Amino acid sequence: MAEVTYFTEEGLRKLKEELAYLKTEGRSKIANAIAEARDKGDLSENAEYDAAKEAQGLHEAKIANLENTLATARLIDESKLDTSKVLALSIVKIKNKKNGAEMTYQLVAESEADLKSGKISVKSPIAQGLLGKSKGDTAVIDVPAGKIEFEIVEVSR
């Protein structure tokens, strides 16, 4: 059975928009590329045609993957989440106990993760170490550089 993935409303909307784009404009562009390559002559020696057909296969695989993700996607009702503990969709402010650096992350589904905007996957080592903790708790997290101690400064939605 496929793994259920939880999404925010924004993340689910973006996924649906991407799928719609791939099924319409994306397929149209690939069909045009195949038609152009076909018009250039003998298909047995046409590398451009082979590349366009390969791109079509990859495109269809991406569509199938997105459809599968959407089939197992669940929308999280943020109003029913406990704000006293770190859970999926929590916004967590943490402080590195060694150097005093503070960071704020939101724990989101893997497909929504974007470190530049402060969104990390709930499956990442940092998120795994923070899940279930409350404000004031200390989380010891294994990272590639070793173990780091973080104090949870704030938990919000």
Side-chain angles (χ1 to χ4, degrees):
M1 187 170 158
E3 183 178 324
V4 174
T5 308
Y6 295 95
F7 287 90
T8 61
E9 201 170 319
E10 175 190 0
L12 199 55
R13 180 184 48 78
K14 284 182 180 179
L15 206 62
K16 288 177 180 179
E17 287 173 0
E18 182 181 2
L19 181 61
Y21 171 81
L22 291 174
K23 284 183 160 185
T24 55
E25 290 182 45
R27 279 183 174 158
S28 175
K29 287 179 182 178
I30 292 203
N32 288 340
I34 291 172
E36 277 183 38
R38 191 180 303 125
D39 289 343
K40 293 185 178 172
D42 185 8
L43 298 182
S44 64
E45 296 177 11
N46 191 334
E48 193 174 327
Y49 178 78
D50 291 340
K53 289 298 280 183
E54 185 175 332
Q56 181 185 35
L58 293 172
H59 187 83
E60 291 302 321
K62 188 172 184 177
I63 288 173
N65 187 26
L66 281 174
E67 286 175 335
N68 185 44
T69 300
L70 277 171
T72 60
R74 300 292 179 266
L75 184 62
I76 295 177
D77 184 357
E78 295 182 56
S79 65
K80 295 182 180 178
L81 295 177
D82 181 4
T83 57
S84 66
K85 292 182 179 176
V86 178
L87 303 168
L89 296 187
S90 292
I91 298 171
V92 186
K93 186 175 187 179
I94 57 176
K95 181 178 182 179
N96 185 325
K97 285 190 155 189
K98 187 175 183 179
N99 64 15
E102 288 191 356
M103 297 152 275
T104 302
Y105 296 117
Q106 181 176 21
L107 281 56
V108 296
E110 274 187 293
S111 61
E112 292 184 67
D114 178 16
L115 193 57
K116 289 180 184 175
S117 63
K119 294 180 178 184
I120 60 172
S121 167
V122 292
K123 294 184 179 182
S124 70
I126 291 176
Q128 289 292 306
L130 296 174
L131 287 171
K133 302 272 194 258
S134 301
K135 181 179 177 178
D137 288 353
T138 297
V140 180
I141 300 171
D142 283 321
V143 294
K147 291 184 186 286
I148 299 178
E149 282 189 46
F150 291 105
E151 178 186 342
I152 297 170
V153 178
E154 187 180 329
V155 179
S156 61
R157 289 275 171 252

